[in-house]
Amino acid sequence: AQSVSQHNHHVILSEAASLELGCNYSYGGTVNLFWYVQYPGQHLQLLLKYFSGDPLVKGIKGFEAEFIKSKFSFNLRKPSVQWSDTAEYFCAVSPRGAGTASKLTFGTGTRLQVTL
Amino acid sequence: DTGVSQDPRHKITKRGQNVTFRCDPISEHNRLYWYRQTLGQGPEFLTYFQNEAQLEKSRLLSDRFSAERPKGSFSTLEIQRTEQGDSAMYLCASSSRTDTQYFGPGTRLTVL
């Protein structure tokens, strides 16, 4: 069974600070990787995804993530956060391959609070 | 709005009552998923449909839970004899063959 670990549960940053949120997964096969964001009062939205190819993927709103296969990691980064980035961030994985359900396994989430 | 929709958005019920939630996926998506999210946790997979076929169910889905997707369009999730531990946000997501899942706003269930 797959599992996802997000080690930072609550992060507080000042505007313009750089952000890195950790995500590690455990799975014996090939996976697709995702970061979802949930802004206050809104539903889960896809931030970015990695299926294959260039391990550095860019998403919306200036976010990027790097897949490091040897470390089973998919950390999320943003060079300069804004107050509007205040949200909860979820890392998720799904197994890849024919016949798989592609169900997502989520981490417990990281609450990001950006102060002015 | 062509996103995933869920109804109702909020449901308060008494313990022992039955409840039913509805999910309307993005129209061209043939895959539909149900997840449950409790406070401080990420969503947990409950069940998955490809078209009208229910292909996988989580162990979290006890006998009191049943899901259907007649005609491969909308889906319903029913919980019978609700318990306080069923209180959670129930999320629906849909996807096409690209495997990217798009989530609805969820139904928040409170069992008193």
Side-chain angles (χ1 to χ4, degrees), chain A residues 6-27:
Chain A
Q6 291 183 246
H7 307 294
N8 314 104
H9 297 293
H10 190 192
V11 173
I12 302 174
L13 294 173
S14 300
E15 262 203 333
S18 64
L19 169 72
E20 181 161 3
L21 301 182
C23 172
N24 289 88
Y25 70 93
S26 172
Y27 182 66

Side-chain angles (χ1 to χ4, degrees), chain A residues 35-110:
Chain A
W35 277 96
Y36 283 86
V37 61
Q38 189 165 29
Y39 297 103
Q42 297 188 26
H43 60 280
L44 277 168
Q45 300 173 37
L46 181 68
L47 202 53
L48 49 77
K49 62 187 178 185
Y50 173 80
F51 285 4
S52 64
D54 188 343
L56 184 63
V57 293
K58 296 190 183 300
I60 60 172
K61 304 187 180 186
F63 286 90
E64 65 178 32
E66 184 176 12
F67 170 50
I68 302 180
K69 189 175 181 180
S70 61
K71 295 185 178 180
F72 298 90
S73 70
F74 190 55
N75 291 354
L76 181 70
R77 300 194 292 249
K78 186 171 184 178
S80 175
V81 295
Q82 299 175 309
W83 180 79
S84 57
D85 293 325
T86 295
E88 187 143 21
Y89 293 80
F90 293 94
C91 181
V93 302
S94 69
R96 192 194 318 165
T100 61
S102 299
K103 61 186 180 185
L104 291 169
T105 298
F106 285 84
T108 53
T110 297

Side-chain angles (χ1 to χ4, degrees), chain B residues 44-56:
Chain B
E44 295 175 293
F45 170 79
L46 292 179
T47 190
Y48 156 67
F49 290 86
Q50 183 161 311
N51 300 311
E52 66 274 11
Q54 187 175 19
L55 298 184
E56 188 168 345

Side-chain angles (χ1 to χ4, degrees), chain B residues 14-59:
Chain B
K14 293 183 179 179
R15 189 175 52 188
Q17 298 294 304
N18 299 342
V19 294
T20 300
F21 310 141
R22 176 178 170 126
C23 171
D24 286 89
I26 293 170
S27 58
E28 63 267 26
H29 287 181
N30 63 337
R31 300 177 182 183
L32 187 146
Y33 304 79
W34 285 98
Y35 294 83
R36 181 171 68 187
Q37 185 176 20
T38 54
L39 200 61
Q41 301 295 320
E44 295 175 293
F45 170 79
L46 292 179
T47 190
Y48 156 67
F49 290 86
Q50 183 161 311
N51 300 311
E52 66 274 11
Q54 187 175 19
L55 298 184
E56 188 168 345
K57 293 195 295 186
S58 163
R59 290 172 296 172

Side-chain angles (χ1 to χ4, degrees), chain B residues 2-109:
Chain B
T2 57
V4 178
S5 61
Q6 293 186 246
D7 184 70
R9 296 289 303 276
H10 304 273
K11 179 70 178 179
I12 300 174
T13 190
K14 293 183 179 179
R15 189 175 52 188
Q17 298 294 304
N18 299 342
V19 294
T20 300
F21 310 141
R22 176 178 170 126
C23 171
D24 286 89
I26 293 170
S27 58
E28 63 267 26
H29 287 181
N30 63 337
R31 300 177 182 183
L32 187 146
Y33 304 79
W34 285 98
Y35 294 83
R36 181 171 68 187
Q37 185 176 20
T38 54
L39 200 61
Q41 301 295 320
E44 295 175 293
F45 170 79
L46 292 179
T47 190
Y48 156 67
F49 290 86
Q50 183 161 311
N51 300 311
E52 66 274 11
Q54 187 175 19
L55 298 184
E56 188 168 345
K57 293 195 295 186
S58 163
R59 290 172 296 172
L60 293 174
L61 215 62
S62 76
D63 292 344
R64 298 184 295 106
F65 288 70
S66 62
E68 295 183 341
R69 193 183 181 196
K71 303 179 182 178
S73 56
F74 71 91
S75 175
T76 58
L77 177 67
E78 181 183 15
I79 309 174
Q80 295 182 327
R81 305 181 304 281
T82 52
E83 302 172 356
Q84 288 186 325
D86 297 331
S87 294
M89 178 75 86
Y90 289 84
L91 299 170
C92 177
S94 70
S95 73
S96 62
R97 292 181 61 187
T98 63
D99 282 349
T100 299
Q101 295 181 32
Y102 296 90
F103 284 80
T107 294
R108 183 172 296 283
L109 173 66

